[in-house]
Amino acid sequence: MSDSSDQSAESGGLTPEQRLEPPNSRLINAGIVTIHDMETLRACVAYENANQQRVRILRRLEQRASEIRSQDN
């Protein structure tokens, strides 16, 4: 499953594949919005780069990263 149960709990228990491969874009957006930590976000970026490489999804992940960084300040 995941490397640690703490990471799974932090990310809502969803894998990058579950977040980025649902049947419609609304669910993908929901999966991205529910990312609350940079570790999960990086895992999703790595997954997307290794698989689909969809520019729209990568841009949305980049936007979410900016949102997370601004919340940390």
Side-chain angles (χ1 to χ4, degrees):
M1 191 162 131
S2 92
D3 293 340
S4 74
S5 59
D6 292 341
Q7 179 183 354
S8 180
E10 179 69 27
S11 67
L14 298 175
T15 66
E17 181 177 10
Q18 289 169 320
R19 288 183 188 279
L20 301 175
E21 296 296 338
N24 67 58
S25 63
R26 292 168 100 184
L27 292 174
I28 294 172
N29 287 334
I32 293 172
V33 168
T34 59
I35 297 172
H36 299 292
D37 63 284
M38 292 303 288
E39 185 176 350
T40 301
L41 188 117
R42 285 185 195 105
C44 289
V45 169
Y47 175 84
E48 188 63 25
N49 282 328
N51 293 282
Q52 301 290 332
Q53 299 179 0
R54 296 169 289 192
V55 173
R56 175 182 259 159
I57 301 300
L58 290 168
R59 283 187 187 142
R60 183 64 187 100
L61 289 166
E62 182 180 15
Q63 180 183 4
R64 184 66 187 135
S66 294
E67 293 166 359
I68 292 170
R69 286 186 199 106
S70 70
Q71 291 170 0
D72 288 345
N73 291 333

